[in-house]
Amino acid sequence: MTFVVVALISAVTATALAYRDARTAVLRRTQDAAVNDVRTRVTAVAADVDLPPDQRSLARFAAKVSDGLGSRIVVARYQDLVAVSDPLADTEGRITVGLRSAVRAGDGARFQRVLWRNEPYLVVGMPVTYADGDRRFSGLEVFAITDLRAERDDTAALLDSVRAGLLPVVVLAAVLALLAAGTVLRPVRKLGRATRELAEGDLGSRVTVTGHDELADLARTFNETADALQASDARLREQEAKARRFVADVSHELRTPLAAMTMVATVLEEDADQLPADAARAARTVGAETARLARLVEDLMEISRFDANAIRLNAAETDLADAVRASLALRGWTDRVEVRLDEGVRTVVDRRRVDVIVANLVGNALRHGAPPVTVTLGTRPAASTPSTPAGGGRGGVSAGSDPGWVTVEVADHGPGLPPEARERVFDRFYKADAARTRSAADTGGQGSGLGTAIALENARLHGGTIDVAEGAEGGAVFTLWLPLRRTGEEAE
């Protein structure tokens, strides 16, 4: 479109300039010829005029001048006398006052183009001077009126012919523009499509390199970049797979010696009361650290299973209130946690993995927060979303077909989490102990830094998630979101 517009503007501009120059040339040629003819004829005839003339001699003078100028109308004026070569011609409107004043005051011929009754005319006027050498004005004025309609028609025909040529020029410009745009835009489209495929994860996307212009260089550079990216991705995937295998292998190999260490540590702790104070303290420390190491190994093995996509849900319809109470009772936290559980809330979940999630969230609240720690079980409508007010949408799930959510909120009244910690709290091995002031002695040891990451992975495995926010009365609030499903329903 830009190419066509530029071509159209260029053609119109060229037409206007050509018309102006042609019209100017035609008019100038006509004007010069008329002035020369009038000057020559007047000079030849004026010698035979007696001054001052009477009406008859003035009319004879006008007729003689007109005879030598073809079809031009000649007007001769001497003071109050006026003679016209064609008595029937109306000359009043064609000889302007300005031209008469210029002829009377000037030296030599003057001309003016006038429009009379919508027709163009050229009027040439000149004074008749005495031939005594000093060129004194004799009082006799001569005006010759030339019809310019022929010149107007010629320039109009020229303009029409040029206008007729505009359409072929614009059509040709459009064809050339399409051809040029095709040669440029086609490889650009292919390159854009390949770039989108690459951004969507298709690292094998390439473009065909044709030609030797700048677009070919760009396509070649894209292919080289895609090759490097694919090779780098392959190396990273291989390293990641090796790292996962290494973690899994190390964790697996540590289980046997840890089992033996745990048994020894258990025996030492049981007999700690019979040992000297230093030996008893050492035995209890060994037991606590051995248990912590065992939890770390189990967490590492669980993470490696998630990374290897080796996790399978053993889901069944479960009463979540019973599941939460059982999880707290199993760990002896019933007296330390306040529960607010809606009864009869049932959904399809893997009970063991829900137990892991609740244990991690409540354990973190007890370990890092401050009492009271509360666990609240409830339901939310389908339109509600994690970290979004009710009425918002949820990407990937249609609210119309989603029966709703089950939420488990774990809140404490400790120092809470700063914004930067809330953004990273689900990262592996991330610990926000600096912001949470409870000590290891208060809660029975520090975590591995993998608990919240494992809890989030288990929630995602169910089609849910976990979010964290600041409590209304201080502290941190972790909310587990699980889809509300019944037996026979499938997750979207």
Side-chain angles (χ1 to χ4, degrees):
M1 290 300 297
T2 302
F3 196 92
V4 171
V5 169
V6 171
L8 182 60
I9 292 174
S10 301
V12 171
T13 303
T15 300
L17 293 175
Y19 172 74
R20 186 197 66 181
D21 292 344
R23 181 173 178 272
T24 301
V26 169
L27 291 177
R28 181 176 290 117
R29 183 178 65 248
T30 301
Q31 290 165 183
D32 292 345
V35 170
N36 290 332
D37 289 348
V38 170
R39 182 184 293 115
T40 301
R41 186 61 182 167
V42 169
T43 302
V45 176
D48 298 330
V49 177
D50 295 328
L51 293 176
D54 55 15
Q55 184 65 41
R56 180 178 297 178
S57 62
L58 189 63
R60 189 167 50 251
F61 171 74
K64 288 183 179 180
V65 174
S66 177
D67 289 342
L69 297 177
S71 61
R72 296 187 181 99
I73 300 173
V74 175
V75 178
R77 302 177 67 95
Y78 184 84
Q79 297 179 359
D80 295 333
L81 298 178
V82 178
V84 182
S85 62
D86 184 358
L88 301 178
D90 182 5
T91 61
E92 274 307 311
R94 286 183 269 190
I95 303 175
T96 65
V97 176
L99 180 61
R100 290 176 57 188
S101 299
V103 169
R104 186 174 293 113
D107 181 15
R110 297 288 186 269
F111 64 87
Q112 184 180 33
R113 290 195 298 272
V114 297
L115 193 65
W116 184 71
R117 295 180 181 176
N118 293 325
E119 298 293 343
Y121 293 91
L122 174 67
V123 181
V124 178
M126 64 177 295
V128 177
T129 58
Y130 291 106
D132 54 5
D134 58 359
R135 303 188 62 80
R136 290 179 296 114
F137 181 41
S138 66
L140 180 60
E141 303 168 7
V142 180
F143 298 92
I145 302 173
T146 303
D147 190 348
L148 292 179
R149 284 179 290 184
E151 286 75 9
R152 180 198 60 187
D153 294 341
D154 290 342
T155 54
L158 175 63
L159 181 61
D160 291 340
S161 64
V162 175
R163 282 176 178 170
L166 277 179
L167 182 60
V169 169
V170 173
V171 172
L172 179 61
V175 173
L176 293 177
L178 289 174
L179 293 175
T183 57
V184 174
L185 295 182
R186 193 178 300 111
V188 171
R189 290 194 189 101
K190 292 180 179 179
L191 186 60
R193 184 166 55 250
T195 303
R196 288 191 296 272
E197 293 172 353
L198 190 67
E200 292 170 358
D202 182 8
L203 300 183
S205 178
R206 300 291 186 275
V207 292
T208 304
V209 179
T210 56
H212 302 283
D213 56 6
E214 291 80 359
L215 287 174
D217 293 339
L218 180 60
R220 194 175 297 107
T221 302
F222 172 82
N223 289 341
E224 293 172 355
T225 303
D227 290 339
L229 181 61
Q230 189 174 29
S232 176
D233 178 75
R235 287 195 300 271
L236 289 175
R237 289 180 182 274
E238 183 180 359
Q239 293 172 3
E240 185 179 4
K242 288 180 179 179
R244 286 199 300 265
R245 286 196 300 270
F246 175 76
V247 171
D249 293 343
V250 169
S251 301
H252 186 270
E253 292 299 325
L254 285 176
R255 295 185 74 179
T256 300
L258 272 175
M261 291 172 61
T262 301
M263 288 188 294
V264 173
T266 302
V267 172
L268 289 175
E269 284 188 290
E270 289 175 354
D271 296 336
D273 293 337
Q274 302 174 12
L275 298 174
D278 291 342
R281 188 181 305 109
R284 293 189 180 93
T285 301
V286 169
E289 293 300 321
T290 302
R292 181 171 177 270
L293 183 59
R295 288 196 301 272
L296 175 60
V297 170
E298 291 298 329
D299 288 347
L300 285 172
M301 292 191 67
E302 186 75 358
I303 284 290
S304 66
R305 284 192 286 269
F306 277 113
D307 289 341
N309 293 322
I311 300 296
R312 295 294 180 268
L313 284 178
N314 183 19
E317 190 170 313
T318 303
D319 188 318
L320 285 184
D322 290 343
V324 171
R325 277 192 290 265
S327 180
L328 298 178
L330 180 64
R331 292 161 181 83
W333 293 339
T334 303
D335 296 336
R336 303 175 60 188
V337 176
E338 178 184 346
V339 294
R340 302 168 185 170
L341 309 178
D342 289 353
E343 300 297 335
V345 178
R346 301 179 65 83
T347 187
V348 176
V349 293
D350 186 328
R351 181 163 181 153
R352 184 184 71 82
R353 297 193 178 278
V354 171
D355 173 74
V356 171
I357 298 172
V358 173
N360 272 299
L361 297 183
V362 175
N364 276 341
L366 293 172
R367 185 180 302 115
H368 302 293
V373 174
T374 60
V375 178
T376 305
L377 170 67
T379 59
R380 301 284 181 89
S384 300
T385 61
S387 302
T388 305
R394 179 161 62 96
V397 177
S398 171
S401 61
D402 191 347
W405 297 92
V406 178
T407 59
V408 180
E409 292 184 357
V410 179
D412 64 68
H413 291 73
L417 288 168
E420 61 273 11
R422 289 199 295 269
E423 293 177 0
R424 299 187 55 197
V425 71
F426 295 105
D427 293 349
R428 298 177 183 182
F429 295 106
Y430 178 75
K431 297 182 181 181
D433 293 332
R436 314 266 269 178
T437 58
R438 299 280 287 168
S439 68
D442 295 328
T443 57
Q446 298 294 329
S448 64
L450 294 172
T452 52
I454 292 174
L456 181 60
E457 293 290 350
N458 278 302
R460 288 174 175 170
L461 200 62
H462 286 83
T465 188
I466 302 174
D467 63 17
V468 59
E470 184 178 359
E473 300 177 0
V477 179
F478 285 80
T479 305
L480 166 66
W481 297 73
L482 295 174
L484 183 58
R485 302 192 186 100
R486 297 289 185 260
T487 302
E489 295 180 0
E490 295 183 355
E492 294 187 19

